Amino acid sequence: MEVVQEVYTSFCAGIQDAISLHRIATLFWSSPIIRKCSAKCLGLNGLLFLGSIFFFEFVVMPVIHLFGDVLTASLSQHATDIASDYYREQIDLVVFVLYQGLWMYPIYCISFILNTIWYQDIADDAYLLHYGQPRPTAVREMIRDELYRAILVAFFLGQTMLSYFVPVVGPFLSFVYLSWLYALYCFEYKWSLHGWGLEKRLAIMEQHWAYFAGFGCPFTLATFFAPNFISKGLFAVFFPVVRCKALIGCSWRRSFCC
């Protein structure tokens, strides 16, 4: 029972730290860079990216269907209901493919590049304000750690996708893996600037797995059940906030996460 209680306490502490947004208020208050980059992320991902999805679903497609219904009514004497439904499905397919190919994928690629730059600026300034100058790391060690990190992230992603197809418990396992992956995304930048090697980072993740599952849980809840592009947009909106939360440390056992 003590082990279960410890796991439960750690998990709840992770959730509490993830949603305690008041702890990063000073960062946004004292840093024009963080405010500016966060506003850019919100505008690009929240208004433009997610906004375009809802505009397409609730404005563009209904208008196209309206014109289609008018056209169908005018041709009803010359076309059967089956033919009308067929033409409507084909038009929907063409519009959807054009929308995805000419708008969603290009803007996603552009936003991915811009988000990476803005996330880096936010994290750099937050770390500088909270910890000071980062510890220097040898180039060879940095390259090695980055390669191992890329392999680790790919492994996590593979587990997340494959575990979803496990009967009965698949979605739950996928949710847990994704929570760990999001927590790793949030904490690894700070650990890297601390000068901690990949072995130490993994040891911390393994030792305090319940805490990191809890920390990533709210973030995962916001994205896990949403459709593909909406999930990506929500991730891009929330990630700067959650990463800042990880950067300034946690309230529970600060020695391992600070």
Side-chain angles (χ1 to χ4, degrees):
M1 290 299 295
E2 292 183 2
V3 175
V4 175
Q5 181 65 31
E6 177 70 15
V7 169
Y8 176 76
T9 302
S10 301
F11 182 80
C12 292
I15 294 178
Q16 180 182 359
D17 285 338
I19 63 177
S20 298
L21 302 181
H22 62 280
R23 293 179 186 149
I24 62 174
T26 54
L27 289 179
F28 285 85
W29 179 262
S30 59
S31 173
I33 294 177
I34 294 178
R35 291 198 303 271
K36 183 178 180 180
C37 291
S38 298
K40 290 179 180 178
C41 287
L42 180 61
L44 175 62
N45 303 298
L47 298 180
L48 184 60
F49 188 78
L50 290 176
S52 65
I53 295 176
F54 290 105
F55 181 79
F56 177 79
E57 290 291 336
F58 297 106
V59 177
V60 175
M61 290 306 297
V63 169
I64 291 176
H65 289 162
L66 178 61
F67 280 108
D69 292 339
V70 172
L71 182 62
T72 300
S74 64
L75 299 176
S76 59
Q77 296 178 351
H78 307 284
T80 64
D81 292 338
I82 296 177
S84 299
D85 292 340
Y86 172 78
Y87 287 127
R88 177 171 178 170
E89 291 176 359
Q90 293 303 309
I91 292 174
D92 286 352
L93 178 61
V94 171
V95 172
F96 179 78
V97 171
L98 291 175
Y99 166 72
Q100 294 278 320
L102 299 180
W103 177 254
M104 287 307 302
Y105 281 103
I107 196 175
Y108 174 73
C109 294
I110 294 173
S111 65
F112 181 85
I113 297 172
L114 293 177
N115 285 332
T116 301
I117 297 173
W118 294 335
Y119 293 161
Q120 187 73 26
D121 291 341
I122 292 172
D124 287 342
D125 203 56
Y127 189 92
L128 185 63
L129 288 173
H130 198 70
Y131 296 100
Q133 292 294 334
R135 300 176 184 177
T137 304
V139 176
R140 182 177 180 180
E141 293 182 3
M142 182 177 64
I143 295 175
R144 183 201 64 180
D145 286 347
E146 286 301 313
L147 289 175
Y148 285 148
R149 186 190 67 83
I151 296 173
L152 177 65
V153 169
F155 179 73
F156 259 114
L157 285 174
Q159 282 187 314
T160 301
M161 291 185 292
L162 293 177
S163 62
Y164 190 86
F165 299 101
V166 176
V168 183
V169 297
F172 172 76
L173 291 176
S174 181
F175 185 94
V176 173
Y177 278 125
L178 196 59
S179 297
W180 281 328
L181 180 60
Y182 284 170
L184 178 63
Y185 280 158
C186 294
F187 278 93
E188 66 168 353
Y189 181 80
K190 177 178 65 175
W191 292 341
S192 176
L193 293 182
H194 278 350
W196 295 357
L198 185 64
E199 295 83 1
K200 183 174 182 179
R201 301 179 213 174
L202 292 179
I204 292 173
M205 288 285 295
E206 292 174 359
Q207 184 178 359
H208 303 284
W209 58 269
Y211 173 85
F212 291 109
F215 188 91
C217 183
F219 198 9
T220 307
L221 276 174
T223 61
F224 187 79
F225 301 100
N228 182 33
F229 276 118
I230 294 179
S231 175
K232 289 179 171 60
L234 291 173
F235 176 93
V237 169
F238 292 131
F239 185 66
V241 176
V242 184
R243 173 175 270 192
C244 283
K245 185 63 199 69
L247 275 164
I248 66 171
C250 54
S251 61
W252 186 75
R253 295 188 178 180
R254 296 181 62 88
S255 60
F256 78 80
C257 60
C258 298

